[in-house]
Amino acid sequence: MTLFTSLRGRIFVATAVLTLVSIGAAVLLVSLRVTRETEAATEREIRATAAVVEQLRTIQGQTFTSMARLIADAPKLKAAVDTNDPPTVQDVVRGYQDELGSNLLIVTGRAGSVLASAGLPEETALNAAERTALSAAASGREGVNILVLPHMHGLLQLVTVPITVGVAQPERLGALSVGFLFDDALAAQVKQITGSDVAFGLDGHVLSATLPDDEGAMLQRLFADASRQPSEIIRAADYIGLPVRLSSASTGGTGPIALILRSRTEQLRVLRTIRVELALTATVAVLLAILLSLLVARTITGPLATVTDAMREVAATGDLTTRIALRADTGWDDADARLLATTFNTLTESVARFQREFSQRERLSSLGRLSTVIAHEIRNPLMIIKAALHTLKRPQLDEAGVREVAEDIEEEVTRLNRLVHEVLDFARPIQFDLAPTDLNALCREATDAVRVTGPLPIQLDLDPAIPSTTSDAERLRMVFVNLLENARQAVAPTADTDTADRPLIRLRTHLNDHSVVVTLDDAGSGIAADDLPRVFDPFFTTRRGGTGLGLPIVRNIVEGLGGSIGVTSTPGAWTTFRIELPLGPPAPH
């Protein structure tokens, strides 16, 4: 669950989820809006086509009504109808039918019987309802009767006007009916003008359409729906339609209907294309947004990670010389992170300075305690020297006695001189002479120097990959000699002549990033747990005759060279001193 437990993970997840929700919502809204607009545009086109069909029907009705009135007033037609002779009327009707260009022309007499017709096939006959409608027009009712009748090729719209003679009291001779078709030709003309398919039907039956024959079943279902939802948009799998009633009067059923159709195939294809493009665009946008959110998260947490890594390193090593350097080559200059890094560097510098000052004050404070130690350490050698001088004053002292007294005096003077040197090395600031130094060579020299004073069962494990460092070789040699001497004294009870060659002591070096680690292990009796935290305290010693200044001086030298020293011990097992030194010169204090 690192993704949610780290700051970078939470920032990345939050921005990624926000991006996904925002882009997903935007794509969904755009898709819905495009779908609604596309369907609305299709409905507008259908309604515009319906208006065209209605206008065409009205114009044709008005045109043929006017022409039928003119023909009904023609003396030639009136004279023929007045004879009530079908052959006579038929000859006249053929001429008028050609002039009108109508699909049907019918003349009825006073009794409503058909005297003549033109345009209908001979096998086509009018049913009882149609004859009743024509008779009603010839019966002298006021107004113009417009009827829509079924025809084998489509819908037939009839315009019926009376044929009368006289002005003051007109005599009704019969009626003239002019018909025109809503057929495939008219439907194709409407489709060419509007781009919409058209189908004509009566009482739920399809009579003509611009659609292919294999769409007949679908058309039949749409006409059935149109009978239940007049003048409302109806939808099928691939088409959207709008029924238009062609007449308020009907011969029964739902009456004549023109069904305006618009294919949804192209609309659905366009919508699918738009949705695919939106999905691709959204995917690219999401990927870019996620990448950007990751970069933003890294730019926010990257400097913080640098700061926390430095803090972790300081906590682990105690090295207060660690500095945070934020990279400026990334193109992102985070002022907050830079301020945090600067504050951390200032804090570590202050703590390091405080430690140095505290160490100096502790050293000076120790001088006060040192006076007591010095008084004790100097009093004994002086007493021995004084006693030796009294011995020299004896007149009967032989040459051997003088030599023995002189050796005692020399030994105590050497002891006093060593004590003075150790006190001065601890009390005064150490002046280092920095130069290129071979640490492996120093380890060998220190080992050889300790071997001069006695057997040293040691094993050397020196890393040949360690480069030359910048340090004070003489001071470091003193450190290694001091630690090796302590190790030899620790293993002395078990290092007899028979086991002198056994490696009870191990001196190792290895490279660790930008530093060199020197490790000294001894298999002596170890250091008690209570004494371990005090081994570097001044004047603390467990060895008879020791001053307790050796290890404090070693620590001062190592820390003065920019390194660190630590010790771990298991009584009865191994005791390990670990020294870490920088490859470069120590930082100035």
Side-chain angles (χ1 to χ4, degrees):
M1 297 300 291
T2 306
L3 191 63
F4 296 99
T5 56
S6 65
L7 177 61
R8 177 185 299 180
R10 290 195 297 271
I11 293 176
F12 170 70
V13 171
T15 52
V17 170
L18 180 61
T19 300
L20 285 173
V21 172
S22 301
I23 294 178
V27 169
L28 179 61
L29 290 176
V30 170
S31 179
L32 293 177
R33 183 61 181 271
V34 169
T35 301
R36 286 197 301 268
E37 290 296 327
T38 303
E39 292 182 351
T42 304
E43 290 184 7
R44 287 194 296 270
E45 293 173 356
I46 288 178
R47 295 189 185 279
T49 304
V52 170
V53 172
E54 181 65 26
Q55 185 179 13
L56 180 61
R57 185 186 70 83
T58 303
I59 292 175
Q60 282 187 334
Q62 292 174 352
T63 301
F64 280 96
T65 299
S66 300
M67 296 177 66
R69 284 174 176 169
L70 291 176
I71 295 174
D73 287 338
K76 184 177 180 181
L77 178 61
K78 292 179 180 180
V81 173
D82 190 42
T83 63
N84 201 28
D85 180 32
T88 302
V89 179
Q90 188 68 40
D91 293 337
V92 175
V93 165
R94 286 198 183 94
Y96 286 123
Q97 198 267 338
D98 294 336
E99 292 178 7
L100 287 174
S102 62
N103 298 104
L104 176 65
L105 194 149
I106 300 175
V107 177
T108 60
R110 289 184 177 89
S113 59
V114 178
L115 299 178
S117 64
L120 285 176
E122 294 182 357
E123 64 274 11
T124 302
L126 298 177
N127 58 31
E130 295 163 0
R131 291 181 179 277
T132 301
L134 294 178
S135 300
S139 65
R141 295 179 182 177
E142 299 295 333
V144 178
N145 298 279
I146 300 178
L147 304 176
V148 179
L149 306 175
H151 189 269
M152 60 181 304
H153 299 295
L155 293 174
L156 179 66
Q157 178 167 314
L158 290 176
V159 176
T160 303
V161 298
I163 302 174
T164 61
V165 294
V167 178
Q169 293 181 348
E171 180 184 357
R172 294 165 179 78
L173 302 178
L176 173 64
S177 296
V178 179
F180 52 92
L181 285 173
F182 287 90
D183 56 0
D184 292 341
L186 182 61
Q189 183 181 358
V190 173
K191 181 178 180 179
Q192 185 178 5
I193 297 173
T194 63
S196 299
D197 287 291
V198 181
F200 299 111
L202 182 65
D203 297 335
H205 299 287
V206 181
L207 299 178
S208 62
T210 57
L211 295 177
D213 295 339
D214 55 2
E215 299 287 355
M218 182 273 299
L219 274 177
Q220 201 65 46
R221 288 194 302 271
L222 287 178
F223 267 96
D225 293 338
S227 64
R228 295 190 296 268
Q229 306 176 43
S231 302
E232 293 183 11
I233 296 293
I234 54 178
R235 286 176 172 83
D238 297 327
Y239 286 89
I240 181 172
L242 176 65
V244 178
R245 291 189 177 277
L246 298 179
S247 176
S248 58
S250 66
T251 59
T254 58
I257 291 178
L259 186 60
I260 313 302
L261 298 169
R262 196 78 176 187
S263 174
R264 301 183 66 198
T265 303
E266 182 65 21
Q267 172 188 347
L268 296 176
R269 186 189 65 80
V270 172
L271 289 177
R272 281 195 297 268
T273 303
I274 293 175
R275 291 190 182 107
V276 170
E277 292 176 353
L278 285 175
L280 292 176
T281 303
T283 301
V284 174
V286 167
L287 293 177
L288 292 177
I290 290 176
L291 178 61
L292 181 60
S293 65
L294 180 60
L295 293 177
V296 171
R298 293 189 62 182
T299 57
I300 294 175
T301 59
L304 295 180
T306 303
V307 175
T308 54
D309 289 343
M311 291 180 176
R312 192 178 296 110
E313 181 179 355
V314 170
T317 63
D319 184 9
L320 294 175
T321 62
T322 302
R323 294 293 179 268
I324 300 175
L326 296 177
R327 295 185 302 170
D329 57 352
T330 58
W332 295 82
D333 189 9
D334 194 317
D336 295 330
R338 193 168 298 281
L339 176 61
L340 181 61
T342 304
T343 304
F344 176 80
N345 292 338
T346 304
L347 178 63
T348 54
E349 290 174 1
S350 301
V351 173
R353 184 171 61 253
F354 174 77
Q355 283 187 342
R356 290 194 299 270
E357 293 174 354
F358 179 78
S359 178
Q360 183 68 18
R361 285 195 297 269
E362 183 183 11
R363 189 178 296 112
L364 294 176
S365 175
S366 299
L367 289 177
R369 299 193 304 271
L370 181 62
S371 60
T372 303
V373 177
I374 292 176
H376 175 74
E377 293 293 334
I378 290 179
R379 183 181 293 115
N380 290 335
L382 288 179
M383 293 296 293
I384 295 174
I385 292 173
K386 184 178 179 180
L389 291 176
H390 282 295
T391 302
L392 290 175
K393 291 179 181 180
R394 295 175 184 175
Q396 69 275 17
L397 187 66
D398 57 7
E399 182 178 352
V402 172
R403 187 180 300 108
E404 182 180 354
V405 171
E407 290 176 354
D408 291 340
I409 293 174
E410 183 180 5
E411 182 179 350
E412 296 304 319
V413 169
T414 302
R415 179 180 176 186
L416 289 173
N417 186 53
R418 179 172 59 84
L419 176 63
V420 170
H421 275 292
E422 288 183 353
V423 170
L424 290 177
D425 284 341
F426 175 73
R428 67 190 177 189
I430 304 175
Q431 299 296 324
F432 295 103
D433 184 13
L434 301 178
T437 302
D438 186 348
L439 289 179
N440 288 338
L442 274 181
C443 291
R444 296 188 187 94
E445 292 174 7
T447 302
D448 294 339
V450 175
R451 276 201 178 107
V452 171
T453 60
L456 184 67
I458 189 171
Q459 174 186 347
L460 295 180
D461 185 6
L462 306 179
D463 187 358
I466 295 177
S468 176
T469 63
T470 302
S471 189
D472 189 328
E474 186 59 30
R475 295 287 183 181
L476 281 180
R477 193 178 74 86
M478 183 188 306
V479 168
F480 297 151
V481 168
N482 193 312
L483 294 177
L484 286 171
E485 184 66 33
N486 288 345
R488 183 175 65 176
Q489 293 179 10
V491 302
T494 58
D496 52 24
T497 55
D498 296 333
T499 61
D501 294 334
R502 192 175 69 180
L504 300 176
I505 302 173
R506 292 182 305 193
L507 181 61
R508 296 172 293 168
T509 61
H510 69 273
L511 197 61
N512 182 21
D513 293 335
H514 301 291
S515 61
V516 177
V517 177
V518 181
T519 305
L520 178 64
D521 304 311
D522 70 75
S525 58
I527 303 174
D530 294 338
D531 296 337
L532 191 62
R534 304 169 57 196
V535 295
F536 293 108
D537 291 347
F539 316 118
F540 174 78
T541 180
T542 58
R543 192 172 71 241
R544 182 182 180 91
T547 62
L549 293 176
L551 288 180
I553 293 174
V554 166
R555 185 180 66 175
N556 290 345
I557 293 174
V558 172
E559 291 180 350
L561 292 173
S564 61
I565 184 171
V567 59
T568 58
S569 179
T570 302
W574 288 91
T575 297
T576 301
F577 282 86
R578 184 181 186 275
I579 300 175
E580 186 170 358
L581 297 169
L583 292 176
H589 298 287

